[in-house]
Every structure is written in C-alpha cells, then in structure tokens.
Amino acid sequence: MKNLNFLLQVRTYNQSILIGGLVSVLAGIFGMLIFNSATWWSLVLVGLGVVALALFLTANLADVKEVGKKRSTQVRANLTLVAAAVVAIVIAVNYIASRHPVRFDLTANQAYTLSSQTLDILKGLPQEVDVTMLISGKRATAEVQKAQSLLEEYEKYSPKFHFKVVDVDKDPGEAKRLDIHEYNTVVFESGDNRKDVLQRDYLTYAFNGQQPAPKFQGEAAFTSALLKMSDTTHPVFYFTQGHGEKDRNNPQGDGFNTFADMLGKENYEVKDLNLLTSGKIPDDASVIAIVGPERSFQPSEVQLLQEYVQKGGKIVAFIDPIVRSGLDPLLKDFGIKLGNDVVIDPTSFAYPNLMDVVPQYNYHEIVSKLSDQHLATVMPFSRSVQKVDPSLKGVTQTILLQTTDKGFGKTNLKDKSPKYRPGIDTKGPIPLGIACEWPLTDKPDTMSRIVVYGSSTVICNQMVQAPGNIDLGLNSFSWAVGEQNKISIHPKEDETQVLNLSNVSAAFIKYLTIVILPGIVLAVGVFIWYRRRSL
C-alpha cells in the first residue's frame, strides 16, 4: 500500500520528473564530450537522470503498456528506432574517423602533406624527442597556428615524438627553464641534443609589390632540427674555387645559395676549397663538389682529385656545355666522357625552350623516389654525359637521366636549327647524368663514388623551383657520402600565389557573386512558388 501511495505521488509530478531526468542525462553526456573526460559531476548527473527516468517509467508502467498497444504508437516507435539507429551510425562513423582519420590534400603544392623525408625520419627516430613551442596566446598569428598544426601532424606519425604548446604569459617558468627570450620559439630536445628553431627560421617574408608576404618554411626548418637530434656526424662538403665556378653565396639567378642552404639544413657543412693554392685535399673532406667551372683544372689539381677518389673519396660534378674542364683523365678512370654538344629533346622539354630538357629517369637510388612520385626534373642547357670503358677495373656505371629516343646532342653550336642531322649530331636517347662507384682493391667494403651531370644550371636559383631539381641535387650528395637514409623527397616551401585580375574580370566576379547568382536563386524560388500556387 505504501508503494502504491508513493507511485501515486510520483505521478502528480510526472512532467517535472520526466523533464528533469532528460535534462540531467543530457547535461552529464554533454559535459563528458566537452571536457573529453568522465568527471565526477557528469557521472552524478547521468546517474540522477537515469534514476528519475526509471522512477517515471515505474509509476506510469500501465499507461505505457496501454499506449504501446495502439497502432499509431507502434508507427512512432518504429520511426524512433530508425532515427536512433541513424544517430548511432553517425556517432560510430565519427568515432572511427577520429581514431583513424583520412584526409585528402587538394592544394597545388601539397602544402598539408608531410614530405617523404619527414615521414622516413619520424618512423626511424632512434630515441625520444621532446618538442616545446613557446607562444603568447594573445599574439598568435595564423602562421604561428600553422606551425603548431604542422608539429601536431608530426606527432601522429611517431610515438617517440612528443609535442606540447606552452603559453608563456600563463607559464613563464617553462621559458625560464629553457632560457628562451623570444615568442614562438620551438625547442627540440633529445638526450643531450638540443636545437632552437626561432620564428624567423620557419617564417620569412617576401615582397610582393610593396607589401611583404609571409612565406612559411616550417617543415624544412622542423625536419632539419629533427635530423640534428639523431645525427652525430657532420659531413663536410668542399666546393672547388678558382676556375670560375658558380658562387654558392650568390642569391641571383645564376648563383646557388638556395641549394647550399638546403645542404646546411640536411646537417651538412659546406666550405670552399682552392686546390691550386692549398696543394692538398683536407682530411675532413667527405665530398668534393665541382659546380659550373668556366676554366680548366690544372694537371696538378686533377692529380690531387685522382689520388683522393682512388683512396675512397667522393666527387659530385656539374659541368656545363662548351667548357673544357681539364677533368678528362679523372672521368676516364670511371668510364665517363663529356660530350662536345648541347642536348635538345623536341618531345620532352619545358616550354618554350627546347634546350630545357625534361629527362626520363633510370633505376638508381638517387632518382628512384623522384620517378615513383612522378616529379619532373628540368635540365637546362646540358651536354651529354656518355659511358665509355673505365680505366679502373670493377667500376659500376649507372645512367641516371636521359632524353627520349627523339632527343639528340647538337654538335654544331652555331647552327640555330632545332632539327636532328644524321651523321653529325649524336642520336638519342642521350644520357645527362651518370653515377659510378668503385670498390678499393685493398678495402672492398670502401667505395669510391662519383656523380657527374652535364649542366650546373640544374641546381641554380633560377631552376630550383622545378619539381625535382632540389631533390636530384640533394640526393646526389647524400648518395655520394653514403647517407642513403637522407635520399628522399624533401620538404616544400610555402608558395605565395598571386592572382592578377583585370578591371573587367574583377567587376564580373563582383557582380556574379553579389547580383547574378543571388538573382538566379530568387527567380527560381519565385517560379516554384507561383507554380505551386496555380496548381
């Protein structure tokens, strides 16, 4: 009897109990979702709501059974079940997507996709790396937020990469601990290694007209810092001087300071070397680089290079057409001959210059990833690099790049005609780059390596924006020095693209979006309304 009286009292507050129970359950669930955790108060709210709803059902059980017998109730119940099933499916799909996200990067330069090199480094991290970004929450720009998002992307690909953001205004102690005095600095730490990446390292400015435009270079800067966390050696590359070689510090189109900077970001050290005045090759030389000489090397210099490479040394050379480099004895040791020609390929070139050849790749570590990802390399104003019988026994020669069979080497440089002349010009396919290696007789595990290209413009500032040129050059040096783990597709720079519109085009877009399209929508709506009214 007491239970019956209690249930009757509950029924007098039916509406309040039902609404209170539903609100309590929903409030608890939303609290869990918002704070991404089951706090004590959210669990209490859900528990109270469930008790209230159970109490409501118990007090009104007879009415619920009676209503359930009606056909209209059954139809509504079925609709409710279908709606609940749809909601459950949506929740399940969203949960799966959050645990296993799939994204598509549709930007022109794949700005939101990590490069192959970055992914390789992250997957092969030998030890834990802690990364801290010190920001000011009041001054966070879009570029800084982009850097933060990028580092969060890094964290997804390696359990050894740990990233956190610290608001210095709220937690000045962290900045003091790390001894950081600039906002937006990113600190990489791994064991005893540390690298600070300042904002000016990953965000530069290029002038577009009168206005400076931000240029984001975050991936290149962060991946370079990541390399320094695991690299204990710093190979030294010596670039020869004294023969009119291209200047690695020259920012103009015919210089290659951009490429030299990229070598630095790969944890390589770059120095100059004048063989004529030094009379020797430094003991710490990992690679000797020869880029665009305009005068011949002296016999004494060539002899130094021959002795160096026959003791396990490495050479990477970019020799332009017409030039007599004097390096023929060195190249003959490895079975390489520079053609006295300029290569043209009328079926594969960068429009409009037939001499800007877009070559085909052969199979080799240097170019395999370029080939796999279909990244084109542009070889401008190049000579042929032919294979001949080497003077050294046991040399392995591999052609890296070559023209199509329609390409040819033009031997008469005064002839302006782009047509092939049988019996005079060199018939294609024409090799444009060769990589060779030779095991030392007394040390079979030690390899001498040499890479030769028929153009130095391929790595100059004016050509580094070609899709595969930077990677071709960097991979050549990495292969020569034996660091195959760095042979990859390297991080891209953010490109600021400007759309120039004429006054007519700008006016058309303006009226299209403000007048024409809204007018069409309005007209269609009026037409539908009129048709339905007249039926």
Side-chain angles (χ1 to χ4, degrees):
M1 182 65 71
K2 291 182 179 180
N3 290 338
L4 182 60
N5 291 333
F6 175 71
L7 293 176
L8 290 173
Q9 290 179 352
V10 170
R11 287 171 62 91
T12 60
Y13 298 99
N14 262 350
Q15 187 173 1
S16 299
I17 293 175
L18 178 60
I19 294 176
L22 290 173
V23 169
S24 183
V25 170
L26 291 175
I29 293 174
F30 278 118
M32 295 179 191
L33 294 175
I34 292 172
F35 292 97
N36 198 28
S37 64
T39 59
W40 67 268
W41 56 266
S42 61
L43 293 174
V44 169
L45 284 174
V46 172
L48 290 175
V50 170
V51 170
L53 293 175
L55 190 61
F56 172 82
L57 288 174
T58 303
N60 298 274
L61 188 59
D63 292 341
V64 170
K65 290 181 178 180
E66 188 64 30
V67 171
K69 296 177 181 179
K70 296 181 180 180
R71 178 172 177 79
S72 60
T73 303
Q74 294 174 359
V75 171
R76 289 171 184 168
N78 289 334
L79 292 175
T80 302
L81 287 175
V82 171
V86 171
V87 171
I89 291 171
V90 170
I91 293 174
V93 169
N94 277 276
Y95 176 77
I96 295 171
S98 66
R99 297 296 299 271
H100 305 281
V102 177
R103 302 186 308 165
F104 299 95
D105 189 352
L106 302 179
T107 57
N109 65 341
Q110 298 292 285
Y112 299 99
T113 302
L114 295 182
S115 68
S116 297
Q117 184 194 34
T118 300
L119 294 176
D120 292 342
I121 294 171
L122 286 170
K123 292 174 183 177
L125 284 178
Q127 57 186 2
E128 307 293 320
V129 177
D130 296 315
V131 182
T132 305
M133 186 175 193
L134 302 160
I135 68 169
S136 170
K138 301 175 182 177
R139 309 176 186 177
T141 64
E143 287 74 23
V144 172
Q145 292 174 355
K146 186 174 182 179
Q148 179 179 335
S149 299
L150 180 62
L151 289 168
E152 289 171 351
E153 194 72 15
Y154 276 51
E155 193 174 28
K156 295 177 182 178
Y157 288 93
S158 174
K160 296 182 179 179
F161 187 96
H162 311 290
F163 174 63
K164 67 178 180 180
V165 179
V166 175
D167 189 337
V168 180
D169 297 332
K170 298 179 180 178
D171 185 8
E174 187 69 5
K176 185 176 181 180
R177 181 186 73 83
L178 294 170
D179 193 26
I180 296 298
H181 305 284
E182 293 187 32
Y183 285 122
N184 306 324
T185 298
V186 182
V187 181
F188 286 73
E189 296 176 291
S190 180
D192 296 331
N193 294 331
R194 170 171 166 166
K195 173 65 177 176
D196 296 349
V197 182
L198 305 180
Q199 180 176 332
R200 58 178 173 269
D201 296 327
Y202 62 84
L203 181 62
T204 60
Y205 287 86
F207 281 90
N208 178 25
Q210 299 297 321
Q211 296 295 326
K215 187 176 183 181
F216 185 72
Q217 303 177 89
E219 188 177 356
F222 299 149
T223 299
S224 176
L226 204 55
L227 276 172
K228 289 178 171 60
M229 294 299 98
S230 55
D231 272 3
T232 56
T233 60
H234 301 276
V236 182
F237 298 163
Y238 282 90
F239 284 73
T240 61
Q241 299 294 308
H243 314 90
E245 288 93 339
K246 286 183 167 55
D247 187 355
R248 67 179 178 88
N249 297 309
N250 181 7
Q252 302 300 319
D254 59 347
F256 65 103
N257 72 306
T258 301
F259 180 76
D261 290 344
M262 288 293 292
L263 287 175
K265 291 177 180 178
E266 292 293 295
N267 214 15
Y268 298 132
E269 189 174 353
V270 179
K271 297 182 179 179
D272 293 330
L273 173 64
N274 191 317
L275 291 171
L276 200 59
T277 58
S278 66
K280 66 175 184 177
I281 293 177
D283 294 335
D284 63 346
S286 299
V287 174
I288 301 298
I290 304 169
V291 182
E294 296 178 352
R295 299 288 185 273
S296 295
F297 282 71
Q298 296 300 305
S300 60
E301 297 176 286
V302 177
Q303 185 176 354
L304 284 173
L305 292 171
Q306 285 181 293
E307 293 172 356
Y308 164 74
V309 78
Q310 289 180 19
K311 292 178 181 178
K314 282 79 177 172
I315 294 177
V316 178
F318 300 83
I319 313 296
D320 293 312
I322 306 174
V323 174
R324 295 184 180 275
S325 66
L327 297 171
D328 295 343
L330 168 66
L331 300 180
K332 180 64 170 64
D333 287 344
F334 287 83
I336 301 172
K337 180 182 178 181
L338 296 174
N340 186 25
D341 53 17
V342 174
V343 177
I344 293 175
D345 192 339
T347 61
S348 185
F349 63 94
Y351 183 84
N353 192 346
L354 293 175
M355 293 184 183
D356 290 349
V357 178
V358 178
Q360 298 176 332
Y361 299 117
N362 288 332
Y363 181 76
H364 190 274
E365 286 178 284
I366 292 175
V367 296
S368 60
K369 291 194 175 182
L370 292 169
S371 177
D372 292 343
Q373 298 198 20
H374 306 289
L375 293 178
T377 297
V378 180
M379 295 287 289
F381 192 58
S382 179
R383 71 197 307 168
S384 61
V385 185
Q386 303 284 352
K387 284 200 316 185
V388 295
D389 292 332
S391 301
L392 299 173
K393 292 183 179 180
V395 172
T396 301
Q397 305 161 295
T398 305
I399 294 174
L400 303 174
L401 310 161
Q402 65 183 20
T403 68
T404 66
D405 57 357
K406 301 297 182 182
F408 60 91
K410 196 171 190 60
T411 56
N412 184 357
L413 303 183
K414 295 181 180 179
D415 182 8
K416 303 298 181 182
S417 172
K419 295 182 179 180
Y420 169 69
R421 297 181 303 168
I424 300 176
D425 296 329
T426 309
K427 187 176 183 347
I430 304 294
L432 302 174
I434 290 180
C436 303
E437 56 183 353
W438 175 67
L440 270 62
T441 305
D442 55 339
K443 298 179 181 179
D445 294 335
T446 301
M447 289 285 184
S448 299
R449 288 180 169 178
I450 183 169
V451 184
V452 180
Y453 294 101
S455 169
S456 68
T457 312
V458 65
I459 60 169
C460 285
N461 295 332
Q462 64 193 29
M463 294 305 301
V464 293
Q465 295 303 325
N469 285 32
I470 280 282
D471 296 303
L472 178 70
L474 293 175
N475 290 349
S476 298
F477 280 89
S478 296
W479 178 81
V481 80
E483 294 195 336
Q484 272 79 357
N485 61 310
K486 292 185 181 179
I487 296 177
S488 190
I489 305 301
H490 299 77
K492 306 160 286 297
E493 291 187 352
D494 191 20
E495 298 179 8
T496 301
Q497 299 184 358
V498 180
L499 178 63
N500 295 313
L501 297 175
S502 64
N503 292 335
V504 174
S505 299
F508 173 75
I509 293 175
K510 174 183 177 181
Y511 289 111
L512 176 66
T513 55
I514 296 177
V515 179
I516 299 175
L517 292 179
I520 293 174
V521 173
L522 180 61
V524 170
V526 171
F527 174 76
I528 293 174
W529 171 79
Y530 178 78
R531 288 280 297 171
R532 293 187 65 180
R533 187 165 178 258
S534 61
L535 290 177

